[in-house]
Every structure is written in C-alpha cells, then in structure tokens.
Amino acid sequence: MATDHIRYDVLARDALRGVLRRVLADAAEHGLPGEHHFFITFLSTADGVKLSPRLLAQYPEEMTIILQHQFWDLVVTEDRFEVGLSFSGIPERLVVPFAAIKSFLDPSVQFGLQFEPSETATEAPTAKLPAAPAASALPVPAPEPAAESKDEPAKTSEGAEVVRLDRFRKK
C-alpha cells in the first residue's frame, strides 16, 4: 500500500474533534436546544485533564459525564472544554482536552463519535501527528462493548449511529 503523506486519518480525526468543539461552543453560547444532551467519555488521567482528587479516585481510568440540565460555566477553547457539574451534591470544575475524549453521544438524535483509545491516550492537548497511524473516519454503527467485532458491527443500546475511528485502520 502507498504511504499516505497527506495523513487523511489525522485530518479526519481532527475534523471530527472540530464537530465536538463546535457543538459544545454553541451549547456554551446558547444552551442546549430541544431535547439535546451529551454523554462525553474521556480518559481521566490524560494530559491536561483536571479533576478533583475525589473524582480521580472514583474514576481512575475513564469518566463519562452528561451535559443536560445541571451544568454551568461551560467554556470552550481551541483545545479543551471546562464545565461545572455536581457530583453527589458537591460542585466540581472539570477541564477536559478534546484529545482526551474517547466518545461523544447525543442520544436525542442518535448521533455519536468514537475515538480509538490508543490515539486518545497518547496525544498531548496540542495537535501532533501520532507515532502510529490513526484510523480514518467513516460512519458505522458502534458495537456493544461485549460484542465488539470489527467485521460485524452491532448497534449501540441507544441505536445510535456512531462514527468509529478504529474500523478502517491502515495496514
């Protein structure tokens, strides 16, 4: 196979992270329209993630947050977002770089994005070319965690269409 000097995989991944940035920036400026709400899963120990020691102890590997009714002070920058959330009645401020995000889901419209864990875990918050080739982005249904198969994708429990970045890996 020919060498991809353009790095379409990196361009596609960065474009999809741009979708996250745009959606969160719109939510920060205008609030969430209609029934939209977001499930965001990220690596809790990735570079640039800021969590309280209490939350880090509870979620030492990854964490999923929901932005729906009770969040405040959502701030979106080029490389991260910050948000206030309440956990067991205790207000917390989280900082999450876009490079730390593993998945994004808006179940109200059955749309999601999923990023390969290895590309998420190894990246710094600033855009750099990964050492290993990242995957390209094509829309396919995301599998159930227990039934993951790259040859026979299954539907998510929400029936969401998810853009998976590990389905079409370069050989």
Side-chain angles (χ1 to χ4, degrees), residues 22-105:
R22 172 77 185 266
V23 166
L24 290 174
D26 286 349
E29 187 174 342
H30 306 290
L32 292 171
E35 298 298 315
H36 288 280
H37 57 287
F38 310 137
F39 286 71
I40 302 170
T41 301
F42 60 92
L43 297 173
S44 52
T45 58
D47 287 340
V49 171
K50 293 182 183 170
L51 299 174
S52 70
R54 178 181 78 94
L55 287 178
L56 191 55
Q58 270 188 283
Y59 305 98
E61 293 179 24
E62 69 179 42
M63 181 176 191
T64 298
I65 59 173
I66 301 170
L67 302 184
Q68 188 170 14
H69 301 298
Q70 297 179 341
F71 67 92
W72 57 91
D73 297 333
L74 177 59
V75 175
V76 181
T77 67
E78 186 64 28
D79 65 340
R80 69 182 181 278
F81 73 93
E82 302 177 23
V83 67
L85 292 166
S86 181
F87 296 88
S88 300
I90 301 170
E92 302 269 0
R93 183 96 184 138
L94 283 67
V95 176
V96 181
F98 290 112
I101 295 175
K102 288 181 63 176
S103 64
F104 168 89
L105 178 66

Side-chain angles (χ1 to χ4, degrees), residues 100-167:
I101 295 175
K102 288 181 63 176
S103 64
F104 168 89
L105 178 66
D106 181 346
S108 70
V109 292
Q110 298 185 346
F111 175 81
L113 298 170
Q114 185 171 339
F115 298 95
E116 186 174 316
S118 63
E119 78 183 35
T120 301
T122 60
E123 286 183 32
T126 56
K128 291 183 180 178
L129 293 180
S136 61
L138 295 174
V140 296
E144 288 289 338
E148 185 165 341
S149 167
K150 292 183 180 176
D151 297 324
E152 300 176 24
K155 292 281 188 182
T156 64
S157 59
E158 294 86 8
E161 177 181 337
V162 176
V163 177
R164 292 206 44 216
L165 294 179
D166 61 348
R167 174 106 168 114

